Amino acid sequence: MPLIVLVPDEDGVTALSRVPGVKPVRYTPGSALPPEAVEAEVLVPGPVRSAPELLPKLPKLKLIQLLSAGAEDWIPVVPSDVLLSTCRGAHGGATAEWVVAALLSTYRELGRFGADQAARVWNRHSTDTLQEKRVLIVGAGDLGRQLRRRLEPFDTHVTMVGLTAREGVSGVDELPELLPQHDVVVLMVPLTSRTRGMVDAAFLASMRDGAVLVNVARGAVADTDALVAELATGRLRAALDVVDPEPLPPDHPLWTIPGVLLTPHVAGSARGSRARSYAVAATEIGRYASGELPDNLVHGEY
């Protein structure tokens, strides 16, 4: 009997139809489930808000396979006897590309030149450069590794930080001594009880004058009030794809603080991202169908 997998769209049906031993069945979030749902062992979910109503209707559910790398919204709602697997590996390239683009724009002042173009002002001047910058990547998983690979050809000097130290990776306990030594700090950690609010006033005060903080993790990794207070002094700059709260209210000070580049949580949203997500999901579900555990299982908070 094939493994029944519920998927929320035709892209999922197409991708999982190629996996041996798997029968993808489409469902529509918020609507009645198809008859096959009572036999479904795997769910590729839609929005997490539908989970409380959906999960009790899946008596044979054993695995939830996400299409996102982040799992913090699902961890509290997944039953203890159900496995949870992320889509780690699908979005690292696009996210790393965004970071490089944001840093190039910041150092080469593309925003200022764009404003000059709109005003028809020929303001020729020299800018800073990404070359030789010291970059601290906080988060040594797939995202961090993807970013390092893209930054090093720009002749940057990259230091990786993980929750625990290992070969080639510094531990998070070393941050107080590492922060003053770097020109750029990139946040690429999952949101957990250990990382929520880790970028507080003391963290920001430890960064060197003129440094750039880049957040492509989750908005709540940074204390927003502390971030606003520090950025308002002009001592630091920031490139933020994620903020807390999201969406950012129209009257929030982050919109207008000089030296801040803001995008609306789109770093991983690039053409082909859905296909890349389902490629990872298909591999994970294929492992499960063959009797193995998925590689991207969530253990505890992550």
Side-chain angles (χ1 to χ4, degrees), residues 4 6 25 33-41 57-60:
I4 304 297
L6 294 183
V25 175
L33 290 172
E36 297 94 333
V38 295
E39 299 295 331
E41 288 189 42
K57 299 176 182 177
L58 306 175
K60 295 190 177 181

Side-chain angles (χ1 to χ4, degrees), residues 190-211:
L191 180 61
T192 69
S193 61
R194 293 183 66 182
T195 63
R196 182 180 295 274
M198 70 180 294
V199 180
D200 55 12
F203 183 110
L204 295 166
S206 296
M207 292 175 61
R208 65 168 47 171
D209 290 352

Side-chain angles (χ1 to χ4, degrees), residues 39-55:
E39 299 295 331
E41 288 189 42
V42 181
L43 169 68
V44 178
V48 69
R49 63 179 177 271
S50 65
E53 177 183 346
L54 178 62
L55 297 183

Side-chain angles (χ1 to χ4, degrees), residues 34-211:
E36 297 94 333
V38 295
E39 299 295 331
E41 288 189 42
V42 181
L43 169 68
V44 178
V48 69
R49 63 179 177 271
S50 65
E53 177 183 346
L54 178 62
L55 297 183
K57 299 176 182 177
L58 306 175
K60 295 190 177 181
L61 183 65
K62 300 297 182 185
L63 169 66
I64 295 176
Q65 174 59 55
L66 302 179
L67 296 178
S68 63
E72 69 275 2
D73 290 338
W74 281 94
I75 290 171
V77 301
V78 175
S80 60
D81 59 343
V82 175
L83 301 173
L84 178 65
S85 178
T86 72
C87 213
R88 184 180 69 237
H91 309 296
T95 302
E97 181 181 82
W98 183 95
V99 174
V100 173
L103 289 174
L104 288 171
S105 179
T106 296
Y107 283 123
R108 300 312 303 266
E109 301 183 24
L110 299 186
R112 179 175 295 182
F113 285 123
D116 288 343
Q117 178 183 351
R120 304 186 185 189
V121 174
W122 191 263
N123 181 16
R124 188 174 184 271
H125 63 274
S126 295
T127 68
D128 202 344
T129 175
L130 183 55
Q131 297 174 84
E132 300 300 326
K133 291 295 186 290
R134 296 176 59 85
V135 181
L136 186 66
I137 301 176
V138 185
D142 173 66
L143 294 180
R145 292 190 296 270
Q146 294 265 18
L147 178 59
R148 180 174 193 161
R149 184 163 64 86
R150 286 162 174 79
L151 280 175
E152 288 180 335
F154 286 89
D155 297 326
T156 60
H157 307 282
V158 177
T159 302
M160 305 286 287
V161 173
L163 291 179
T164 56
R166 52 191 183 274
E167 185 176 356
V169 178
S170 300
V172 70
D173 58 313
E174 300 174 64
L175 278 174
E177 63 184 77
L178 290 172
L179 288 170
Q181 302 173 18
H182 289 80
D183 305 291
V184 178
V185 178
V186 184
L187 306 175
M188 303 188 104
V189 293
L191 180 61
T192 69
S193 61
R194 293 183 66 182
T195 63
R196 182 180 295 274
M198 70 180 294
V199 180
D200 55 12
F203 183 110
L204 295 166
S206 296
M207 292 175 61
R208 65 168 47 171
D209 290 352

Side-chain angles (χ1 to χ4, degrees), residues 165-288:
R166 52 191 183 274
E167 185 176 356
V169 178
S170 300
V172 70
D173 58 313
E174 300 174 64
L175 278 174
E177 63 184 77
L178 290 172
L179 288 170
Q181 302 173 18
H182 289 80
D183 305 291
V184 178
V185 178
V186 184
L187 306 175
M188 303 188 104
V189 293
L191 180 61
T192 69
S193 61
R194 293 183 66 182
T195 63
R196 182 180 295 274
M198 70 180 294
V199 180
D200 55 12
F203 183 110
L204 295 166
S206 296
M207 292 175 61
R208 65 168 47 171
D209 290 352
V212 180
L213 177 74
V214 182
N215 192 358
V216 285
R218 289 291 187 267
V221 170
D223 180 316
T224 301
D225 290 342
L227 183 61
V228 168
E230 188 67 65
L231 292 174
T233 69
R235 192 181 70 85
L236 302 178
R237 290 175 288 176
L240 308 173
D241 183 56
V242 290
V243 292
D244 182 28
E246 286 187 15
L248 198 64
D251 60 349
H252 199 281
L254 280 174
W255 287 112
T256 54
I257 294 176
V260 176
L261 186 156
L262 273 175
T263 60
H265 205 148
V266 296
S269 301
R271 186 170 297 168
S273 62
R274 195 72 168 176
R276 288 187 288 272
S277 294
Y278 270 117
V280 173
T283 300
E284 293 289 271
I285 292 170
R287 288 194 182 98
Y288 179 80

